[in-house]
Amino acid sequence: MLDEYLYGLGFTEEQTKQIRSIYPSRQYPESTLLYNFRNLYNFFRRNGMENKDFISIVMITPNVLSLSIENIKIRIEDLNSFGFNKIDAFSMIKNYPYLLEISNLKIRNKMNCLKELKFPKDNIVSLITAYPSIFQIESKQIQKRFQFFIDYGYSEKDIISIFTSLPTLLDCSSSFFQQKFQELEEFHFSKNDIIKITTFLPSLFYLTKDELYLKFKPLQDFGYSELDIIHFIKKIPVVLKDSYWNDLFSKLDCLLSLGFSKETILLITCNNPYILLYSTESLISKFQSLLELSFSKEEVLSMIKSFPFLFGYDMDTIHNRILFLREIHLDSLIVSNCRILLFCLDLLKARYQFLMKTSLWKESNYSSLFLSDYDFYKTYQITKDSLLKGEF
Amino acid sequence: MDVLIRFGFTIDEIKSMMDTNNLIDSVSDKDIYELIDILEKAGCQDSHIKNIFLCNPFYLTRDVLEVNHFIQKLYEIGLSSLFVLFDSNPYILNMSDRDLDQFYHEKIKEGMNKEEILDTINYSMVF
C-alpha cells in the first residue's frame, strides 16, 4: 500500500526502499506511516509545494515523518515571529528542509549576527528567504567574510548590497574572492573599479577569467580592443548584465544601418558607452529628429561623430539649444563644432544677454559664449552665479 | 510610475526610459519624488529634469542617500549652479562621492589647479 502510494507521488523505487529503512519509518506500522505521509503531503500541497518539493523534504529530513502537522504549524508561526511571512516560510523549508529541525535560538543568533553587521531588517529577511542555507554557515565565518571585504575597501553598504543580492557568495571562501580580485586586477581594473563593478553586479564573482574572455570575443571580432571593452565596463558596469550584453549587437547593427562606419562606431561608443544601452528605437528616433531639424544625413553623422553625447540628450533640449544658436546666427557652428551643444541653454542665454548689454557682443567674437567658467570670469570679471541671477 | 506621468512624461518617453533601464519598474513613486526633489533643490526646472531623466534613466534607480552625498561633494569641491552641470551632463549623476573624490585627487596629482578641475567637471562630460 505504502509503496504504491509513494510511487504515485513520484518517489523512485530506491527512494522508497530508503524511506522504509530509516529510523522514523521503522518505528511506525505501515498503516500509521501511510496516514502520516498522506497528512503531510496534503498539508504541504495545500501550502504550495509540488510533489518534487515534498519528496526532497522527506529525503533530506526524514524526521519530518515523525512531526505532527501541529508541530510544523508552530515552526511556521515561529518563522512569522522572526519577520518571515507564510509564503517565505514555506519557500525556505522547500529550499532548506533542515529549517524544520533547527532551534529558534539558532535562527535568532543568525539574525542577530546579520543585525550586528548592520544589515537592515528587510535585507535580513530577504537574504535568509533567498538563501536559507545561511543557517549552516558559522556566524564567525560571515563576520570574517564581511571584514575581508571591508579590508579590501568596500563600504558596509556595498557589502550588504552584494550579499543581499547574491547571498550564495556568503558561502565562498576568502581565497575564492582573493583569486577573483586578482583576476579582475589582471584585466586592468583598479581596486575602485572592482568595488564599483562587483557591487553593481555581484554575479561577476562567479564568472571565470575564461568566461569573461569569451564574453569579450564577439566585441573584439567587431573591432573593439580589450582595453576598449574594459573602458566601457568601468564606465557602465551595467552593460555586463546579460540583458544588455546579449543585445549589444542589435545596437551595433542599428548604428551601422544608420550609416556610421565601424571605425566611427568604435569611436562614439568608447566616448559615450551609454549609446550601447539605449534601445534601437531610441537611437533611430533621435537620429530622425536631428534630420528633421534640417540637417543632412552626412551632417548628422558628422555631428554625432564629433559629439557622441548628442545621442543622449532629450530632443526638446537639443531643439531649443539649436534654435537659440540659429537665432543668434551661429548656425554654421552647430555642424562644424557640434560640441557647443553641450552648453546649458540658460547659461548661453545669460552670457549672451550679458555680452549684449555690455556691448561686448560681436558675432566674430562668438567663442566668448563657449568659454569655460574660469576663462569667462577672467575675461569679463563676472561669475557664473551672477550671470545666471541676471546680476549685471 | 504615476509620478512620471504626472510630471508630464509621455507613455513613449517612459517606455524609452524603461527600455534603457529595466529596473525603473521596481522604483517606488516615493523614491522618484525624492530624486526629483534633489534636482529641484539643485535649481533644475522641469525641462532640465526631463532632459536628465531621458538622457540618463539610470539616475532613476540611484539610491537617494548616495545622490545626496554626491551632490554634497560637488558643493564641497566648489561647484555651484549645479543645474547647469546636470543639464549639460546628466550622466555625471551616476557617479558616487567616492568616484568624484578619486577624480578630483587624480587631477590634482596630474598638476591641475582647482579652477581647472572645476572647468573640466563642468565642460568635459565627466562620468
Short mmCIF file of all heavy atoms in Angstrom, two decimals, chain A residues 153 157-158 192 195 235 244 272 274 277-278 309 312-314 316-317 321 339 342-344 346-347 372-374 384-385 388, chain B residues 19-23 48 50-51 54-55 58 63 66 80-81 83-84 87-88 91 94 98-99 102 115 119 122-125 127:
data_model
loop_
_atom_site.label_atom_id
_atom_site.label_comp_id
_atom_site.label_asym_id
_atom_site.label_seq_id
_atom_site.Cartn_x
_atom_site.Cartn_y
_atom_site.Cartn_z
N GLY A 153 38.32 47.37 0.86
CA GLY A 153 37.95 48.75 0.54
C GLY A 153 36.46 48.97 0.32
O GLY A 153 36.03 50.08 0.03
N LYS A 157 27.85 49.43 3.31
CA LYS A 157 26.67 49.46 2.45
C LYS A 157 26.87 48.59 1.19
O LYS A 157 25.97 47.87 0.77
CB LYS A 157 26.39 50.91 2.05
CG LYS A 157 24.98 51.13 1.73
CD LYS A 157 24.69 52.57 1.48
CE LYS A 157 23.29 52.62 0.91
NZ LYS A 157 23.04 53.79 0.14
N ASP A 158 28.09 48.68 0.61
CA ASP A 158 28.40 47.87 -0.58
C ASP A 158 28.26 46.39 -0.25
O ASP A 158 27.66 45.61 -1.00
CB ASP A 158 29.87 48.08 -1.02
CG ASP A 158 30.14 49.49 -1.53
OD1 ASP A 158 29.19 50.15 -1.95
OD2 ASP A 158 31.32 49.91 -1.49
N ASN A 192 39.16 50.39 -7.03
CA ASN A 192 37.90 51.12 -7.01
C ASN A 192 36.93 50.63 -8.08
O ASN A 192 35.73 50.56 -7.86
CB ASN A 192 38.16 52.62 -7.22
CG ASN A 192 38.28 53.32 -5.90
OD1 ASN A 192 37.71 52.90 -4.90
ND2 ASN A 192 39.06 54.38 -5.88
N ILE A 195 35.46 47.37 -6.92
CA ILE A 195 34.43 47.59 -5.89
C ILE A 195 33.13 48.06 -6.55
O ILE A 195 32.05 47.55 -6.28
CB ILE A 195 34.94 48.61 -4.85
CG1 ILE A 195 36.08 47.98 -4.04
CG2 ILE A 195 33.81 49.07 -3.93
CD1 ILE A 195 36.83 48.94 -3.14
N LYS A 235 33.04 52.33 -17.08
CA LYS A 235 32.12 53.47 -17.12
C LYS A 235 30.69 53.05 -16.84
O LYS A 235 29.94 53.74 -16.16
CB LYS A 235 32.19 54.17 -18.49
CG LYS A 235 33.49 54.88 -18.76
CD LYS A 235 33.59 56.12 -17.91
CE LYS A 235 34.86 56.90 -18.18
NZ LYS A 235 35.07 57.95 -17.17
N TYR A 244 21.68 43.36 -21.28
CA TYR A 244 22.31 44.38 -22.12
C TYR A 244 23.35 43.76 -23.05
O TYR A 244 23.40 44.06 -24.23
CB TYR A 244 23.01 45.45 -21.25
CG TYR A 244 22.03 46.29 -20.47
CD1 TYR A 244 21.83 46.07 -19.12
CD2 TYR A 244 21.30 47.30 -21.09
CE1 TYR A 244 20.92 46.84 -18.39
CE2 TYR A 244 20.39 48.07 -20.38
CZ TYR A 244 20.22 47.83 -19.03
OH TYR A 244 19.32 48.58 -18.33
N ASN A 272 31.12 57.65 -25.58
CA ASN A 272 29.86 57.65 -24.83
C ASN A 272 29.26 56.24 -24.82
O ASN A 272 28.39 55.92 -25.62
CB ASN A 272 28.85 58.64 -25.44
CG ASN A 272 27.57 58.66 -24.64
OD1 ASN A 272 27.49 58.09 -23.54
ND2 ASN A 272 26.54 59.32 -25.16
N TYR A 274 27.15 54.94 -23.09
CA TYR A 274 25.70 54.86 -22.84
C TYR A 274 24.92 54.60 -24.13
O TYR A 274 23.80 54.09 -24.09
CB TYR A 274 25.19 56.14 -22.18
CG TYR A 274 25.48 56.19 -20.70
CD1 TYR A 274 26.62 56.82 -20.22
CD2 TYR A 274 24.64 55.57 -19.78
CE1 TYR A 274 26.90 56.84 -18.87
CE2 TYR A 274 24.92 55.60 -18.42
CZ TYR A 274 26.05 56.23 -17.97
OH TYR A 274 26.33 56.24 -16.63
N LEU A 277 23.49 51.38 -24.42
CA LEU A 277 22.39 50.99 -23.51
C LEU A 277 21.04 51.50 -24.00
O LEU A 277 20.00 51.02 -23.56
CB LEU A 277 22.65 51.53 -22.09
CG LEU A 277 23.97 51.11 -21.43
CD1 LEU A 277 24.06 51.69 -20.03
CD2 LEU A 277 24.09 49.60 -21.36
N TYR A 278 21.06 52.51 -24.89
CA TYR A 278 19.77 53.00 -25.40
C TYR A 278 19.16 51.96 -26.35
O TYR A 278 19.88 51.22 -27.02
CB TYR A 278 19.97 54.32 -26.15
CG TYR A 278 20.43 55.47 -25.28
CD1 TYR A 278 21.58 56.19 -25.60
CD2 TYR A 278 19.73 55.83 -24.14
CE1 TYR A 278 22.01 57.25 -24.80
CE2 TYR A 278 20.16 56.88 -23.33
CZ TYR A 278 21.30 57.58 -23.66
OH TYR A 278 21.73 58.60 -22.87
N PHE A 309 27.61 62.54 -27.45
CA PHE A 309 26.62 62.72 -26.37
C PHE A 309 25.30 63.22 -26.92
O PHE A 309 24.29 63.22 -26.24
CB PHE A 309 27.19 63.65 -25.30
CG PHE A 309 28.39 63.03 -24.64
CD1 PHE A 309 29.66 63.28 -25.12
CD2 PHE A 309 28.24 62.13 -23.60
CE1 PHE A 309 30.76 62.67 -24.55
CE2 PHE A 309 29.34 61.52 -23.02
CZ PHE A 309 30.60 61.78 -23.50
N GLY A 312 22.30 61.22 -26.54
CA GLY A 312 21.70 61.03 -25.23
C GLY A 312 20.63 62.05 -24.88
O GLY A 312 19.57 61.70 -24.38
N TYR A 313 20.90 63.32 -25.19
CA TYR A 313 20.01 64.38 -24.74
C TYR A 313 18.57 64.21 -25.22
O TYR A 313 18.31 63.66 -26.29
CB TYR A 313 20.50 65.74 -25.27
CG TYR A 313 21.83 66.19 -24.70
CD1 TYR A 313 22.91 66.45 -25.56
CD2 TYR A 313 22.01 66.40 -23.34
CE1 TYR A 313 24.12 66.89 -25.06
CE2 TYR A 313 23.22 66.84 -22.84
CZ TYR A 313 24.27 67.08 -23.70
OH TYR A 313 25.48 67.50 -23.21
N ASP A 314 17.67 64.75 -24.41
CA ASP A 314 16.26 64.84 -24.80
C ASP A 314 16.20 65.72 -26.05
O ASP A 314 16.86 66.77 -26.11
CB ASP A 314 15.50 65.47 -23.62
CG ASP A 314 14.15 66.01 -24.01
OD1 ASP A 314 13.50 65.38 -24.85
OD2 ASP A 314 13.75 67.05 -23.45
N ASP A 316 13.94 67.69 -27.20
CA ASP A 316 13.42 69.05 -26.98
C ASP A 316 14.55 69.97 -26.53
O ASP A 316 14.63 71.13 -26.95
CB ASP A 316 12.33 69.05 -25.89
CG ASP A 316 11.03 68.47 -26.41
OD1 ASP A 316 10.89 68.36 -27.65
OD2 ASP A 316 10.18 68.11 -25.58
N THR A 317 15.42 69.43 -25.67
CA THR A 317 16.55 70.22 -25.17
C THR A 317 17.46 70.60 -26.33
O THR A 317 17.85 71.76 -26.47
CB THR A 317 17.34 69.38 -24.12
OG1 THR A 317 16.44 69.06 -23.07
CG2 THR A 317 18.54 70.12 -23.58
N ARG A 321 18.30 74.34 -27.90
CA ARG A 321 19.67 74.86 -27.97
C ARG A 321 19.98 75.26 -29.42
O ARG A 321 20.57 76.31 -29.68
CB ARG A 321 20.68 73.80 -27.49
CG ARG A 321 20.63 73.60 -25.98
CD ARG A 321 21.61 72.53 -25.50
NE ARG A 321 21.30 72.17 -24.10
CZ ARG A 321 21.87 71.17 -23.44
NH1 ARG A 321 22.79 70.44 -24.02
NH2 ARG A 321 21.53 70.92 -22.20
N ARG A 339 30.14 70.26 -30.48
CA ARG A 339 30.35 70.15 -29.05
C ARG A 339 29.69 71.30 -28.28
O ARG A 339 29.38 71.15 -27.10
CB ARG A 339 31.86 70.13 -28.78
CG ARG A 339 32.22 69.29 -27.63
CD ARG A 339 33.70 69.15 -27.41
NE ARG A 339 33.88 68.46 -26.15
CZ ARG A 339 33.77 69.06 -24.99
NH1 ARG A 339 33.53 70.34 -24.92
NH2 ARG A 339 33.90 68.36 -23.88
N LEU A 342 26.61 71.07 -25.93
CA LEU A 342 26.57 70.59 -24.55
C LEU A 342 26.19 71.72 -23.59
O LEU A 342 25.74 71.48 -22.48
CB LEU A 342 27.91 69.96 -24.13
CG LEU A 342 29.11 70.78 -23.68
CD1 LEU A 342 29.04 71.26 -22.23
CD2 LEU A 342 30.36 69.92 -23.80
N PHE A 343 26.33 72.97 -24.05
CA PHE A 343 26.08 74.09 -23.13
C PHE A 343 24.61 74.21 -22.76
O PHE A 343 23.74 74.19 -23.64
CB PHE A 343 26.59 75.40 -23.74
CG PHE A 343 28.07 75.58 -23.58
CD1 PHE A 343 28.95 74.97 -24.46
CD2 PHE A 343 28.59 76.30 -22.52
CE1 PHE A 343 30.32 75.10 -24.31
CE2 PHE A 343 29.96 76.43 -22.34
CZ PHE A 343 30.83 75.83 -23.24
N CYS A 344 24.38 74.35 -21.49
CA CYS A 344 23.02 74.55 -20.98
C CYS A 344 22.48 75.86 -21.55
O CYS A 344 23.18 76.89 -21.54
CB CYS A 344 23.09 74.59 -19.45
SG CYS A 344 21.56 75.06 -18.65
N ASP A 346 20.30 77.93 -20.47
CA ASP A 346 20.19 79.04 -19.51
C ASP A 346 21.52 79.79 -19.42
O ASP A 346 21.54 81.02 -19.35
CB ASP A 346 19.83 78.52 -18.12
CG ASP A 346 18.57 77.71 -18.14
OD1 ASP A 346 18.59 76.60 -18.73
OD2 ASP A 346 17.56 78.17 -17.61
N LEU A 347 22.63 79.06 -19.42
CA LEU A 347 23.93 79.70 -19.32
C LEU A 347 24.26 80.47 -20.60
O LEU A 347 24.72 81.61 -20.55
CB LEU A 347 25.02 78.65 -19.04
CG LEU A 347 26.43 79.20 -18.90
CD1 LEU A 347 26.55 80.11 -17.69
CD2 LEU A 347 27.46 78.08 -18.80
N SER A 372 35.17 78.46 -20.77
CA SER A 372 34.93 77.77 -19.50
C SER A 372 34.57 78.84 -18.48
O SER A 372 34.78 80.03 -18.71
CB SER A 372 36.19 77.03 -19.07
OG SER A 372 37.18 77.96 -18.70
N ASP A 373 34.03 78.42 -17.34
CA ASP A 373 33.60 79.40 -16.33
C ASP A 373 34.76 80.29 -15.90
O ASP A 373 34.62 81.50 -15.75
CB ASP A 373 33.06 78.66 -15.08
CG ASP A 373 31.76 77.96 -15.40
OD1 ASP A 373 31.15 78.28 -16.43
OD2 ASP A 373 31.38 77.08 -14.60
N TYR A 374 35.90 79.65 -15.68
CA TYR A 374 37.05 80.41 -15.16
C TYR A 374 37.55 81.42 -16.20
O TYR A 374 37.82 82.58 -15.87
CB TYR A 374 38.16 79.44 -14.76
CG TYR A 374 39.31 80.13 -14.04
CD1 TYR A 374 39.09 80.85 -12.87
CD2 TYR A 374 40.61 80.06 -14.53
CE1 TYR A 374 40.12 81.50 -12.21
CE2 TYR A 374 41.66 80.69 -13.87
CZ TYR A 374 41.41 81.41 -12.72
OH TYR A 374 42.43 82.04 -12.06
N LYS A 384 29.67 82.81 -12.88
CA LYS A 384 28.53 82.09 -13.47
C LYS A 384 27.26 82.34 -12.65
O LYS A 384 26.19 82.57 -13.22
CB LYS A 384 28.85 80.59 -13.51
CG LYS A 384 27.74 79.75 -14.12
CD LYS A 384 28.20 78.35 -14.45
CE LYS A 384 28.27 77.48 -13.22
NZ LYS A 384 28.65 76.10 -13.55
N ASP A 385 27.41 82.33 -11.32
CA ASP A 385 26.23 82.51 -10.47
C ASP A 385 25.59 83.88 -10.70
O ASP A 385 24.37 84.00 -10.80
CB ASP A 385 26.60 82.33 -8.99
CG ASP A 385 26.98 80.88 -8.70
OD1 ASP A 385 26.70 80.02 -9.57
OD2 ASP A 385 27.56 80.61 -7.64
N LEU A 388 23.80 83.95 -14.05
CA LEU A 388 22.53 83.22 -14.05
C LEU A 388 21.45 83.95 -13.24
O LEU A 388 20.27 83.81 -13.51
CB LEU A 388 22.73 81.80 -13.50
CG LEU A 388 23.51 80.87 -14.43
CD1 LEU A 388 23.99 79.63 -13.69
CD2 LEU A 388 22.67 80.47 -15.64
N ASP B 19 13.11 50.92 -21.37
CA ASP B 19 13.88 50.06 -22.28
C ASP B 19 15.36 50.17 -21.96
O ASP B 19 16.12 49.22 -22.07
CB ASP B 19 13.67 50.49 -23.74
CG ASP B 19 12.34 49.99 -24.29
OD1 ASP B 19 11.75 49.10 -23.66
OD2 ASP B 19 11.90 50.51 -25.33
N THR B 20 15.77 51.39 -21.58
CA THR B 20 17.19 51.60 -21.28
C THR B 20 17.53 51.07 -19.89
O THR B 20 18.56 50.43 -19.70
CB THR B 20 17.54 53.10 -21.37
OG1 THR B 20 17.13 53.57 -22.65
CG2 THR B 20 19.02 53.34 -21.18
N ASN B 21 16.65 51.33 -18.93
CA ASN B 21 16.91 50.86 -17.57
C ASN B 21 15.69 50.08 -17.07
O ASN B 21 14.73 50.66 -16.57
CB ASN B 21 17.18 52.06 -16.65
CG ASN B 21 17.46 51.62 -15.22
OD1 ASN B 21 17.50 50.43 -14.93
ND2 ASN B 21 17.66 52.57 -14.34
N ASN B 22 15.76 48.76 -17.22
CA ASN B 22 14.57 47.96 -16.89
C ASN B 22 14.31 47.83 -15.40
O ASN B 22 13.33 47.24 -14.99
CB ASN B 22 14.64 46.58 -17.57
CG ASN B 22 15.99 45.93 -17.38
OD1 ASN B 22 16.65 46.19 -16.37
ND2 ASN B 22 16.42 45.11 -18.32
N LEU B 23 15.17 48.42 -14.58
CA LEU B 23 14.92 48.37 -13.13
C LEU B 23 14.00 49.49 -12.65
O LEU B 23 13.57 49.49 -11.50
CB LEU B 23 16.24 48.44 -12.36
CG LEU B 23 17.19 47.25 -12.54
CD1 LEU B 23 18.49 47.49 -11.79
CD2 LEU B 23 16.53 45.96 -12.04
N HIS B 48 14.85 70.78 -17.45
CA HIS B 48 16.15 70.15 -17.14
C HIS B 48 15.93 68.73 -16.63
O HIS B 48 16.65 67.80 -17.02
CB HIS B 48 16.89 70.94 -16.04
CG HIS B 48 17.12 72.39 -16.36
ND1 HIS B 48 16.86 73.40 -15.49
CD2 HIS B 48 17.59 72.98 -17.48
CE1 HIS B 48 17.18 74.56 -16.03
NE2 HIS B 48 17.61 74.33 -17.25
N LYS B 50 13.49 66.74 -17.20
CA LYS B 50 13.06 65.87 -18.30
C LYS B 50 14.29 65.43 -19.11
O LYS B 50 14.44 64.25 -19.45
CB LYS B 50 12.08 66.63 -19.19
CG LYS B 50 11.30 65.75 -20.10
CD LYS B 50 10.13 66.51 -20.73
CE LYS B 50 9.61 65.70 -21.88
NZ LYS B 50 9.72 66.35 -23.17
N ASN B 51 15.17 66.38 -19.38
CA ASN B 51 16.39 66.06 -20.13
C ASN B 51 17.25 65.05 -19.36
O ASN B 51 17.75 64.07 -19.93
CB ASN B 51 17.19 67.35 -20.37
CG ASN B 51 18.46 67.10 -21.16
OD1 ASN B 51 18.48 66.32 -22.10
ND2 ASN B 51 19.55 67.76 -20.75
N LEU B 54 15.54 61.52 -19.39
CA LEU B 54 15.53 60.85 -20.71
C LEU B 54 16.94 60.48 -21.15
O LEU B 54 17.15 59.43 -21.76
CB LEU B 54 14.87 61.75 -21.76
CG LEU B 54 13.35 61.85 -21.64
CD1 LEU B 54 12.81 62.95 -22.54
CD2 LEU B 54 12.70 60.52 -22.01
N CYS B 55 17.89 61.34 -20.81
CA CYS B 55 19.27 61.07 -21.21
C CYS B 55 19.88 59.99 -20.33
O CYS B 55 20.60 59.11 -20.80
CB CYS B 55 20.07 62.37 -21.11
SG CYS B 55 21.78 62.22 -21.60
N PHE B 58 19.23 55.87 -15.75
CA PHE B 58 19.84 55.16 -14.62
C PHE B 58 19.81 56.01 -13.35
O PHE B 58 19.93 55.49 -12.25
CB PHE B 58 21.27 54.72 -14.96
CG PHE B 58 21.28 53.70 -16.03
CD1 PHE B 58 21.45 54.05 -17.35
CD2 PHE B 58 21.06 52.36 -15.73
CE1 PHE B 58 21.41 53.10 -18.36
CE2 PHE B 58 21.01 51.40 -16.73
CZ PHE B 58 21.20 51.78 -18.05
N ASP B 63 20.38 55.39 -5.46
CA ASP B 63 20.00 55.49 -4.06
C ASP B 63 19.96 56.98 -3.67
O ASP B 63 20.93 57.71 -3.92
CB ASP B 63 21.05 54.74 -3.24
CG ASP B 63 20.74 54.75 -1.78
OD1 ASP B 63 21.15 55.71 -1.08
OD2 ASP B 63 20.09 53.81 -1.34
N GLU B 66 22.80 58.22 -1.54
CA GLU B 66 24.08 58.31 -2.28
C GLU B 66 24.11 59.54 -3.17
O GLU B 66 25.14 60.19 -3.31
CB GLU B 66 24.30 57.05 -3.11
CG GLU B 66 24.83 55.90 -2.27
CD GLU B 66 25.07 54.64 -3.08
OE1 GLU B 66 25.08 54.71 -4.32
OE2 GLU B 66 25.22 53.59 -2.44
N SER B 80 28.95 75.23 -8.17
CA SER B 80 27.67 75.86 -7.83
C SER B 80 26.79 75.85 -9.08
O SER B 80 27.23 75.36 -10.13
CB SER B 80 27.91 77.29 -7.36
OG SER B 80 28.59 78.00 -8.37
N SER B 81 25.59 76.37 -8.97
CA SER B 81 24.61 76.34 -10.08
C SER B 81 24.63 74.95 -10.72
O SER B 81 24.85 74.81 -11.93
CB SER B 81 24.93 77.40 -11.14
OG SER B 81 24.96 78.67 -10.56
N PHE B 83 22.45 72.94 -11.63
CA PHE B 83 21.52 72.58 -12.70
C PHE B 83 22.17 72.73 -14.07
O PHE B 83 21.85 72.00 -15.01
CB PHE B 83 20.22 73.40 -12.61
CG PHE B 83 20.36 74.84 -12.98
CD1 PHE B 83 20.08 75.26 -14.28
CD2 PHE B 83 20.75 75.79 -12.06
CE1 PHE B 83 20.19 76.59 -14.65
CE2 PHE B 83 20.87 77.13 -12.41
CZ PHE B 83 20.60 77.53 -13.70
N VAL B 84 23.10 73.67 -14.19
CA VAL B 84 23.79 73.88 -15.47
C VAL B 84 24.63 72.64 -15.79
O VAL B 84 24.62 72.13 -16.91
CB VAL B 84 24.70 75.13 -15.40
CG1 VAL B 84 25.53 75.27 -16.67
CG2 VAL B 84 23.86 76.37 -15.17
N ASP B 87 22.29 69.64 -16.59
CA ASP B 87 21.63 69.77 -17.90
C ASP B 87 22.63 69.50 -19.03
O ASP B 87 22.27 68.96 -20.07
CB ASP B 87 21.05 71.19 -18.04
CG ASP B 87 20.10 71.30 -19.24
OD1 ASP B 87 19.28 70.40 -19.42
OD2 ASP B 87 20.21 72.29 -19.99
N SER B 88 23.89 69.87 -18.79
CA SER B 88 24.93 69.61 -19.80
C SER B 88 25.36 68.16 -19.78
O SER B 88 25.63 67.57 -20.82
CB SER B 88 26.18 70.44 -19.52
OG SER B 88 25.94 71.78 -19.66
N TYR B 91 24.82 62.38 -17.23
CA TYR B 91 25.47 61.12 -16.82
C TYR B 91 26.26 61.28 -15.53
O TYR B 91 26.50 60.30 -14.83
CB TYR B 91 26.43 60.64 -17.91
CG TYR B 91 25.79 60.42 -19.25
CD1 TYR B 91 26.20 61.14 -20.37
CD2 TYR B 91 24.79 59.46 -19.43
CE1 TYR B 91 25.64 60.93 -21.62
CE2 TYR B 91 24.22 59.25 -20.68
CZ TYR B 91 24.66 59.99 -21.77
OH TYR B 91 24.09 59.77 -22.99
N ASN B 94 25.43 59.65 -12.19
CA ASN B 94 25.64 58.23 -11.85
C ASN B 94 26.90 58.05 -11.01
O ASN B 94 27.19 56.94 -10.57
CB ASN B 94 25.76 57.37 -13.11
CG ASN B 94 24.46 57.32 -13.88
OD1 ASN B 94 23.42 57.65 -13.33
ND2 ASN B 94 24.52 56.94 -15.13
N ARG B 98 32.57 58.98 -3.84
CA ARG B 98 33.89 58.35 -3.86
C ARG B 98 34.54 58.50 -5.25
O ARG B 98 35.71 58.81 -5.36
CB ARG B 98 33.74 56.87 -3.50
CG ARG B 98 35.02 56.14 -3.29
CD ARG B 98 34.82 54.86 -2.50
NE ARG B 98 33.87 53.95 -3.15
CZ ARG B 98 33.45 52.81 -2.62
NH1 ARG B 98 33.86 52.45 -1.43
NH2 ARG B 98 32.60 52.03 -3.23
N ASP B 99 33.73 58.28 -6.31
CA ASP B 99 34.25 58.46 -7.68
C ASP B 99 34.75 59.88 -7.88
O ASP B 99 35.80 60.12 -8.47
CB ASP B 99 33.14 58.23 -8.73
CG ASP B 99 32.64 56.80 -8.77
OD1 ASP B 99 33.41 55.89 -8.43
OD2 ASP B 99 31.45 56.60 -9.13
N GLN B 102 37.92 60.59 -6.03
CA GLN B 102 39.05 59.95 -6.73
C GLN B 102 39.43 60.77 -7.96
O GLN B 102 40.60 61.03 -8.19
CB GLN B 102 38.63 58.54 -7.14
CG GLN B 102 39.78 57.68 -7.60
CD GLN B 102 39.29 56.38 -8.24
OE1 GLN B 102 38.12 56.02 -8.16
NE2 GLN B 102 40.19 55.67 -8.87
N GLU B 115 40.50 75.52 -10.17
CA GLU B 115 39.65 76.10 -11.21
C GLU B 115 39.64 75.21 -12.46
O GLU B 115 38.60 75.03 -13.09
CB GLU B 115 40.13 77.51 -11.61
CG GLU B 115 39.73 78.59 -10.64
CD GLU B 115 40.49 78.53 -9.33
OE1 GLU B 115 41.62 77.98 -9.33
OE2 GLU B 115 39.96 78.99 -8.31
N ASP B 119 36.38 73.41 -14.09
CA ASP B 119 36.02 73.59 -15.51
C ASP B 119 35.96 72.24 -16.23
O ASP B 119 35.10 72.03 -17.09
CB ASP B 119 37.03 74.51 -16.21
CG ASP B 119 36.69 75.99 -15.94
OD1 ASP B 119 35.57 76.26 -15.48
OD2 ASP B 119 37.55 76.84 -16.20
N ASN B 122 32.76 70.68 -15.30
CA ASN B 122 31.62 71.37 -15.91
C ASN B 122 31.50 71.13 -17.42
O ASN B 122 30.40 71.08 -17.94
CB ASN B 122 31.74 72.88 -15.66
CG ASN B 122 31.09 73.28 -14.35
OD1 ASN B 122 30.04 72.74 -13.99
ND2 ASN B 122 31.72 74.19 -13.63
N TYR B 123 32.63 71.02 -18.10
CA TYR B 123 32.54 71.02 -19.56
C TYR B 123 33.22 69.84 -20.27
O TYR B 123 33.41 69.90 -21.47
CB TYR B 123 33.11 72.35 -20.10
CG TYR B 123 32.35 73.53 -19.55
CD1 TYR B 123 32.94 74.39 -18.62
CD2 TYR B 123 31.02 73.74 -19.92
CE1 TYR B 123 32.21 75.45 -18.08
CE2 TYR B 123 30.31 74.80 -19.38
CZ TYR B 123 30.89 75.63 -18.46
OH TYR B 123 30.16 76.67 -17.94
N SER B 124 33.59 68.80 -19.53
CA SER B 124 34.26 67.68 -20.23
C SER B 124 33.51 66.36 -20.14
O SER B 124 34.10 65.30 -20.33
CB SER B 124 35.67 67.50 -19.68
OG SER B 124 36.42 68.63 -20.01
N MET B 125 32.23 66.41 -19.87
CA MET B 125 31.42 65.19 -19.83
C MET B 125 32.09 64.11 -18.97
O MET B 125 32.30 62.98 -19.42
CB MET B 125 31.18 64.66 -21.25
CG MET B 125 30.50 65.64 -22.17
SD MET B 125 28.90 66.25 -21.59
CE MET B 125 27.82 64.89 -21.89
N PHE B 127 32.09 61.30 -16.29
CA PHE B 127 31.10 60.39 -15.68
C PHE B 127 31.73 59.06 -15.33
O PHE B 127 32.87 58.81 -15.73
CB PHE B 127 29.89 60.17 -16.58
CG PHE B 127 30.17 59.57 -17.91
CD1 PHE B 127 30.11 58.20 -18.10
CD2 PHE B 127 30.51 60.36 -19.01
CE1 PHE B 127 30.37 57.63 -19.35
CE2 PHE B 127 30.76 59.81 -20.26
CZ PHE B 127 30.69 58.44 -20.42
#
